Amino acid sequence: MTRSDLVAHLSERFGQLTQRDTEFAVKTILDAMSDALARGHRIEIRGFGSFSINRRPPRMGRNPRSGEQVLIPEKLVPHFKPGKALREAVDAQLPVTDEDQQAA
């Protein structure tokens, strides 16, 4: 699902909201989440999951063209950990394959 798919789905579901209002609400929420993570805060949405920042330490990498060693600096990267309800909902939607049907 893309951002525009989300906006379209929400505007269909909530008829009292216009497409523009829904787009503004989605943008506001995502911007607030981005700003909170940029400030180093943790975001937890019960039943969905949590967003946090992980530190990647500096390391030595290799330039694929020349093979020369390159120092890759430390990075702070966003990390998502799904909540229990989301993990269970995804697991319940596990597709059945031909191998599973033959084994049963």
Side-chain angles (χ1 to χ4, degrees):
M1 176 179 274
T2 64
R3 184 177 180 158
S4 57
D5 292 341
L6 177 62
V7 169
H9 181 74
L10 288 173
S11 63
E12 286 174 16
R13 183 160 180 202
F14 300 100
Q16 69 272 23
L17 293 175
T18 65
Q19 183 90 9
R20 179 175 279 162
D21 290 342
T22 308
E23 198 170 321
F24 180 73
V26 169
K27 182 182 181 331
T28 302
I29 290 170
L30 295 177
D31 287 347
M33 291 173 71
S34 296
D35 291 344
L37 288 173
R39 289 192 311 268
H41 295 187
R42 183 173 181 274
I43 301 168
E44 182 175 335
I45 302 171
R46 300 280 172 156
F48 183 71
S50 61
F51 297 87
S52 60
I53 298 295
N54 281 357
R55 177 184 166 271
R56 279 197 193 151
R59 61 189 171 92
M60 290 303 289
R62 201 171 282 283
N63 181 331
R65 285 192 177 171
S66 65
E68 136 187 19
Q69 285 194 335
V70 178
L71 176 66
I72 300 172
E74 175 181 69
K75 285 185 178 184
L76 296 177
V77 294
H79 174 75
F80 175 70
K81 181 178 178 188
K84 182 180 177 186
L86 178 60
R87 283 193 318 268
E88 289 173 353
V90 169
D91 189 41
Q93 298 298 320
L94 190 66
V96 178
T97 63
D98 291 339
E99 292 174 8
D100 293 337
Q101 290 177 346
Q102 290 174 359

